[in-house]
Amino acid sequence: MLSIYKLQQLPDGVTEANDLVTDLDDAFDHGFGRIGGAHMETLRSLQASFTGTPLEEPLEEARAAVSESAFDPGVFETFAAARAGLQGARYDALMTRAKETFGWSHRSVAATEPEPFEDDVASWLESTRQWLLELAVAGFGGLDEEAIVPFDATLDQLQSTPRTFRLASLLTGFRNELLNNTPTARLPERPARRWSDLWSRAMLHAGGRPETPETRTVSGMFRPLGATLNHHENNASLTVFGLLNDGDSLQFVRTSRSGYKVDVMVGDDIWEIFSKPLGRLLDALGAGRALEIDGMTLTSTGDLRWNGDDALSVEFDMLDAAEAHFAPNAETDVKMSTLAPLDRHPLQIGWPVYLEDYEADRSTDGLPELVFDSGVRLPVDVDRISPYSELEIDHVLGSKRMFALLRFDGGQWSAQPLVETKRSKLYYTGMEADEERHSTVESTLRNRADKLLRSK
Amino acid sequence: MSDDRSLLRPDPPIDLDTPKKVPFVELHDGRLQGIVSSKSSHQRVYVSYIEAQTGDFYCSTNNNRQCGGLSGGSSAQGAPCKHLDRLFEAATARLSRERVLDYLGLALDDDTYVRTTGELTRRLDGAQREQENSEIFSRFLDYLEYLDLEGTDEHVPEMSWFVT
């Protein structure tokens, strides 16, 4: 791990851009409805940082509109776009540093234009933009239940079709989180960065469908190398990472499944959402086996759409496979994809790395970290380990090798373990995915509802 | 939390046993309300609520009969039954205790520490007040609709923000 020290110093501009984002977040927390001198100054700095770009003029107009309290969704779309631009620039600089550190080449994806949504969706998006405008005017620090609940009718519509799944899952999580924290004025500390992130992303999405990447049809051998679980009260998402060999080349890809749930569906019940559509993929993940796939769609962003045309194949060692291709400076010809341009954000950095020659221990603040032979420390990303994953912090402590995603948040790099070994046993999310799980929650809920219905 | 972090630290998992006991609980429309399973009969569920500010409460069976546990109180105002206790417990387990008490209109300092639902409704000076349970029931059915919504095989980068 000779080169990992390179992560210690952040690339030029990353901190400066971060400071500007922080100032802007403060304006969102405060509310544009009663914006003061300091926040107007922030908007001027924001405009200055986009001098000579297509956003310069819209930012000037937006700032003038805010100073006259002439709010419309377009004003806030401009701020959302500028904020996303800053986060995207941070993403680019950090990704370049990650690649320098670990010695990789990659293929990039050309930008595509957002497509307009169909007419029925357009009116839901308009209501969404209006709601987001109202949040920004009130400020995240001034929200009560009445500011949030009226949006539920629109949210119901966005949830009703998978065409708007991405926006709906984002807004559902955001809405729940805001509501659970009302009245927000009383919170001792508000996560202004996080809420501004969610707000900006929603605002941009509500402006048009996220770009559709180019696709091609692939067949060949897929070897799963790990998985991540994401969830809030009403949605859950599983992403399986792996190597795809289509006969011509080897590519690092991911395949995801996301669905809706009720808040009490947690733990094993979450797997119910994935088991039917993913089937043998979960068997392969649990058993550490490869899969032959036949005619699946692969996007230029490296997303494999799992269609079930698969057959279990040979067993392999997940960590050995990861080591062969993702150890620093490994001699490999694995192709990497890049994110769609609109998705660029430091939170989306997830660079695959195989790590060894470290001691996994608790740092002085009690959080797990990897201490490399060179003395360099890399925190373990505890914020990304799902409480419902089979992989636990205790497995990280005392581990000797791991396959991880290099992450960035809160101004520092960290490692999110995907697969690790402790006392020669592998631990990873999905290691029990091949075992039969018995969901009780869904049947319990339906059964209770039946009782109520019968008595009516 | 540091002010430039996009992620929250995940909460520890909630008790998996609660959905069976309390299939549905929410703070909505000025009430803590929900559905509570009967311990004695598998055929029965209760629809229960406590109103914020007034502290008024009610509990009835699936066929809209008043819960027998309500009349057990010695005062004229009646006293909450064990189903309301369980509803309150489930709410504090799934949300935070602070959020629930705050929603119901109680100040949060040590002197007003509330242990039971009886103490809670007494503090708010609430009384038993009959209410049709159909509205709460239809909220429960709406909630169950989440289980029928269609998912996607598209990658959802937005979910990266959520591990809670």
Side-chain angles (χ1 to χ4, degrees):
Chain A
M1 199 57 54
L2 293 169
S3 54
I4 202 164
Y5 73 90
K6 288 185 188 164
L7 292 179
Q8 286 182 311
Q9 196 181 352
L10 294 181
D12 288 344
V14 165
T15 307
E16 290 76 3
N18 188 54
D19 291 345
L20 189 49
V21 175
T22 302
D23 289 344
L24 193 56
D25 295 347
D26 197 61
F28 277 105
D29 188 67
H30 184 80
F32 285 80
R34 46 190 193 97
I35 198 161
H39 293 131
M40 286 308 292
E41 195 50 50
T42 297
L43 298 185
R44 256 186 292 277
S45 306
L46 184 68
Q47 189 191 329
S49 69
F50 283 89
T51 305
T53 75
L55 270 178
E56 184 182 1
E57 206 180 304
L59 276 170
E60 178 161 11
E61 288 163 11
R63 187 170 58 84
V66 167
S67 68
E68 292 159 16
S69 298
F71 303 123
D72 74 73
V75 167
F76 289 102
E77 253 182 307
T78 301
F79 293 136
R83 194 180 177 283
L86 291 172
Q87 294 286 45
R90 294 178 69 222
Y91 170 88
D92 290 345
L94 291 163
M95 277 297 282
T96 303
R97 177 57 50 87
K99 283 178 235 159
E100 282 165 10
T101 305
F102 293 99
W104 274 79
S105 61
H106 79 296
R107 185 168 65 178
S108 77
V109 180
T112 47
E113 287 295 309
E115 296 167 24
F117 271 108
E118 296 80 351
D119 286 349
D120 56 337
V121 177
S123 66
W124 311 341
L125 297 183
E126 197 45 51
S127 320
T128 303
R129 281 145 44 99
Q130 188 59 38
W131 181 64
L132 292 168
L133 176 151
E134 284 160 19
L135 293 186
V137 171
F140 296 140
L143 302 177
D144 54 18
E145 195 182 348
E146 287 71 42
I148 295 157
V149 174
F151 179 61
D152 286 3
T154 303
L155 191 54
D156 280 350
Q157 290 170 316
L158 290 170
Q159 290 165 343
S160 67
T161 163
R163 286 179 294 159
T164 44
F165 187 97
R166 287 179 59 178
L167 181 59
S169 61
L170 167 67
L171 286 167
T172 304
F174 190 31
R175 173 249 182 228
N176 291 348
E177 204 168 302
L178 291 176
L179 192 62
N180 288 343
N181 284 292
T182 52
T184 54
R186 253 184 269 168
L187 289 177
E189 268 182 283
R190 283 180 295 275
R193 166 60 55 94
R194 172 178 172 80
W195 287 355
S196 304
D197 270 356
L198 298 174
W199 181 94
S200 303
R201 195 155 181 90
M203 193 53 142
L204 288 180
H205 264 260
R209 183 201 285 275
E211 55 265 65
T212 26
E214 286 171 27
T215 60
R216 65 186 174 103
T217 305
V218 291
S219 300
M221 180 83 85
F222 176 76
R223 281 179 291 166
L225 291 182
T228 56
L229 259 184
N230 288 90
H231 40 80
H232 56 63
E233 287 172 346
N234 300 117
N235 288 106
S237 204
L238 177 77
T239 303
V240 179
F241 298 88
L243 283 168
L244 174 68
N245 186 341
D246 65 359
D248 292 328
S249 64
L250 200 55
Q251 188 174 348
F252 186 65
V253 301
R254 62 187 171 193
T255 187
S256 318
R257 185 70 206 180
S258 304
Y260 286 91
K261 70 182 200 65
V262 291
D263 57 353
V264 294
M265 268 179 93
V266 295
D268 281 2
D269 283 302
I270 276 194
W271 292 91
E272 189 102 331
I273 297 166
F274 316 123
S275 58
K276 206 168 158 193
L278 295 183
R280 275 180 298 273
L281 173 59
L282 296 187
D283 294 343
L285 179 65
R289 289 177 68 176
L291 284 157
E292 287 287 351
I293 64 162
D294 186 20
M296 292 194 194
T297 300
L298 179 68
T299 70
S300 56
T301 48
D303 296 307
L304 187 62
R305 301 283 173 80
W306 207 261
N307 68 4
D309 279 334
D310 53 29
L312 281 172
S313 180
V314 294
E315 271 188 47
F316 70 102
D317 187 296
M318 292 165 86
L319 260 187
D320 286 349
E323 180 177 12
H325 298 287
F326 301 100
N329 302 309
E331 301 251 335
T332 176
D333 48 5
V334 172
K335 285 194 180 127
M336 304 293 291
S337 313
T338 50
L339 291 182
L342 259 187
D343 294 340
R344 288 152 56 246
H345 183 290
L347 198 72
Q348 304 297 347
I349 292 172
W351 194 251
V353 284
Y354 168 84
L355 302 170
E356 61 183 5
D357 298 330
Y358 61 77
E359 292 286 332
D361 212 341
R362 288 195 187 273
S363 68
T364 43
D365 55 7
L367 295 170
E369 61 176 6
L370 311 179
V371 184
F372 291 92
D373 290 353
S374 59
V376 175
R377 292 161 190 272
L378 187 62
V380 174
D381 193 344
V382 291
D383 296 342
R384 306 222 200 201
I385 301 179
S386 162
Y388 314 131
S389 169
E390 300 94 324
L391 185 150
E392 294 168 18
I393 306 280
D394 279 352
H395 304 141
V396 183
L397 299 169
S399 73
K400 292 294 171 208
R401 315 159 64 201
M402 71 165 68
F403 180 47
L405 295 176
L406 183 71
R407 299 292 203 180
F408 189 89
D409 191 28
Q412 66 172 11
W413 296 98
S414 61
Q416 175 185 9
L418 289 180
V419 184
E420 64 206 342
T421 176
K422 186 176 180 180
R423 294 193 196 94
S424 63
K425 181 172 164 60
L426 291 186
Y427 292 93
Y428 56 95
T429 297
M431 60 190 278
E432 288 159 11
D434 56 333
E435 287 166 26
E436 200 162 316
R437 297 172 189 242
H438 297 283
S439 164
T440 50
V441 170
E442 184 169 346
S443 55
T444 303
L445 293 177
R446 291 197 192 278
N447 164 285
R448 300 300 186 267
D450 283 348
K451 282 173 196 166
L452 283 158
L453 278 172
R454 271 203 308 273
S455 61
K456 292 284 154 186
Chain B
M1 117 184 248
S2 153
D3 58 6
D4 63 350
R5 276 172 33 156
S6 294
L7 286 177
L8 300 173
R9 188 121 314 154
D11 290 327
I14 62 166
D15 177 9
L16 295 175
D17 206 26
T18 48
K20 280 186 210 158
K21 293 182 200 155
V22 183
F24 175 60
V25 58
E26 67 170 359
L27 299 171
H28 180 76
D29 208 12
R31 283 188 301 264
L32 162 64
Q33 58 189 25
I35 311 283
V36 183
S37 302
S38 165
K39 267 189 179 165
S40 53
S41 162
H42 290 305
Q43 295 309 312
R44 210 177 306 141
V45 288
Y46 291 88
V47 179
S48 315
Y49 83 88
I50 301 172
E51 193 172 71
Q53 312 303 335
T54 66
D56 288 349
F57 55 87
Y58 196 62
C59 178
S60 55
T61 64
N62 35 342
N63 36 27
N64 240 331
R65 248 178 249 141
Q66 179 179 323
C67 165
L70 286 178
S71 44
S74 51
S75 76
Q77 295 185 319
C81 56
K82 55 187 190 283
H83 308 113
L84 281 159
D85 284 340
R86 271 182 236 145
L87 184 73
F88 179 61
E89 255 171 55
T92 53
R94 282 179 219 174
L95 302 161
S96 74
R97 187 183 168 80
E98 288 74 21
R99 162 90 177 126
V100 177
L101 291 182
D102 186 60
Y103 190 88
L104 292 175
L106 277 180
L108 291 167
D109 54 64
D110 288 341
D111 296 335
T112 62
Y113 196 73
V114 172
R115 282 167 202 84
T116 66
T117 322
E119 282 173 27
L120 177 90
T121 55
R122 269 199 299 282
R123 287 206 75 86
L124 291 167
D125 201 24
Q128 175 184 322
R129 182 156 55 84
E130 185 174 349
Q131 200 200 16
E132 266 285 308
N133 64 23
S134 57
E135 198 192 321
I136 299 172
F137 175 50
S138 78
R139 289 282 303 173
F140 178 45
L141 289 184
D142 284 350
Y143 166 82
L144 290 183
E145 280 177 17
Y146 273 118
L147 297 171
D148 299 319
L149 292 173
E150 210 178 320
T152 182
D153 63 356
E154 204 179 347
H155 184 63
V156 186
E158 289 70 25
M159 286 302 291
S160 302
W161 270 269
F162 300 100
V163 198
T164 45

